[in-house]
Amino acid sequence: MVVGMFIGFIIGTIAVINLTAVDKSIYEAEMQYESLTKQLQTIDSEYEDVSKAEVIQKVYDWNTKVYKSKYWTESPWTNWLCSEKYSDSLKYIEMEEIHND
């Protein structure tokens, strides 16, 4: 019984932490999204000071983060641990095929 109460306390704490700082998390995610889209636009331009592979990896990591958040929010087993408001605010970054001119 003590172990069950301890596990319940841990899960409850995780749920409260994920649901209380939603607005801050949304703001930080929006800033990261904007930064990545600007970097993606930069590598499509004539500037060569940004590593294309690095930007592509960052965009891939972002899209993976978005997918995981949406997956766990949509699952009936874990959706009460995640903030739907946060998950809905995340957007995928579409990557156009990058051509070297």
Side-chain angles (χ1 to χ4, degrees):
M1 184 165 164
V2 172
V3 173
M5 289 176 61
F6 180 72
I7 291 172
F9 175 75
I10 296 296
I11 291 174
T13 303
I14 291 170
V16 168
I17 289 171
N18 284 337
L19 298 174
T20 54
V22 173
D23 292 330
K24 177 183 173 284
S25 298
I26 290 172
Y27 179 73
E28 289 172 349
E30 286 176 358
M31 288 190 332
Q32 186 178 9
Y33 175 84
E34 291 297 322
S35 172
L36 289 171
T37 55
K38 293 289 184 194
Q39 289 179 29
L40 197 58
Q41 291 170 359
T42 301
I43 65 172
D44 286 338
S45 69
E46 297 298 321
Y47 299 114
E48 293 296 329
D49 57 340
V50 178
S51 168
K52 291 181 182 184
E54 183 179 329
V55 173
I56 290 169
Q57 182 62 43
K58 286 180 182 179
V59 170
Y60 171 79
D61 292 342
W62 170 264
N63 285 339
T64 301
K65 174 184 167 182
V66 172
Y67 172 78
K68 287 179 181 179
S69 177
K70 290 182 182 293
Y71 175 82
W72 291 115
T73 303
E74 293 172 2
S75 171
W77 296 102
T78 58
N79 63 0
W80 52 277
L81 286 172
C82 305
S83 169
E84 187 175 353
K85 181 179 177 183
Y86 173 74
S87 181
D88 289 343
S89 73
L90 298 176
K91 297 179 269 187
Y92 288 104
I93 298 175
E94 298 295 327
M95 282 188 33
E96 301 292 323
E97 195 171 318
I98 299 171
H99 299 286
N100 290 334
D101 292 328

